[in-house]
Amino acid sequence: MMLKPYRLGALLLALLAPPVIFPAPALAAPAPAPAAPAATAGRHTADQIGRFLAGFYGDHGPSAHDREHRVSQVLKDRQQENADADVLLCAQNKPHAIGIGAVTVAQSARVGWATVTTHWAAGDTDTFTAYVRLDSRPIRVDDVICAG
């Protein structure tokens, strides 16, 4: 089979011609990295809340000074209404020991919390949740929710 000269010329032109470059398909611009919320500045961190709660509760419960200066007015009022129980410990007596669990922080809710475990002389334990507002100045216990 013999190629006709014009076909051979067209083939040579096609082979020798610079490649046709088609524009690359437009790629979506990379999404910007999520910005850290600007509103977190000045708020307490999980580490700060954990250290605060450990110091606040200590081994046997908050001191008189902490009860006066490191507790929200809501809890002070609740304590006055419930004189027979300690609303900060969800108990009527002083525990043998207290442990603070991992702190969770919800920036959008502006609150952090941890489970507090009280240990009693008879070997029993009880738990409750202590809440801290992230923007409280000074840092203080804002609420306590008893487990039972």
Side-chain angles (χ1 to χ4, degrees):
M1 174 172 170
M2 182 95 157
L3 290 175
K4 297 194 179 191
Y6 62 88
R7 283 192 181 169
L8 184 59
L11 180 61
L12 283 175
L13 281 176
L15 291 173
L16 296 175
V20 176
I21 299 175
F22 293 100
L27 298 176
T40 61
R43 291 188 182 172
H44 307 301
T45 65
D47 183 57
Q48 290 169 329
I49 292 169
R51 285 185 281 125
F52 164 73
L53 290 173
F56 178 84
Y57 280 105
D59 291 328
H60 306 289
S63 67
H65 178 270
D66 282 345
R67 288 173 183 275
E68 179 62 30
H69 299 287
R70 299 258 163 136
V71 175
S72 70
Q73 188 61 47
V74 170
L75 283 172
K76 290 178 186 179
D77 294 345
R78 191 180 303 157
Q79 184 61 66
Q80 284 184 343
E81 295 168 6
N82 297 290
D84 58 328
D86 188 336
V87 299
L88 295 174
L89 292 170
C90 297
Q92 294 179 331
N93 302 314
K94 284 190 173 191
H96 181 67
I98 298 176
I100 307 298
V103 175
T104 301
V105 172
Q107 291 291 342
S108 61
R110 296 183 176 150
V111 69
W113 64 90
T115 299
V116 179
T117 303
T118 50
H119 301 270
W120 302 93
D124 295 334
T125 61
D126 201 1
T127 61
F128 58 90
T129 305
Y131 294 87
V132 174
R133 281 190 26 213
L134 299 183
D135 59 354
S136 61
R137 295 285 183 247
I139 190 169
R140 65 178 179 251
V141 177
D142 195 54
D143 201 2
V144 171
I145 305 297
C146 301

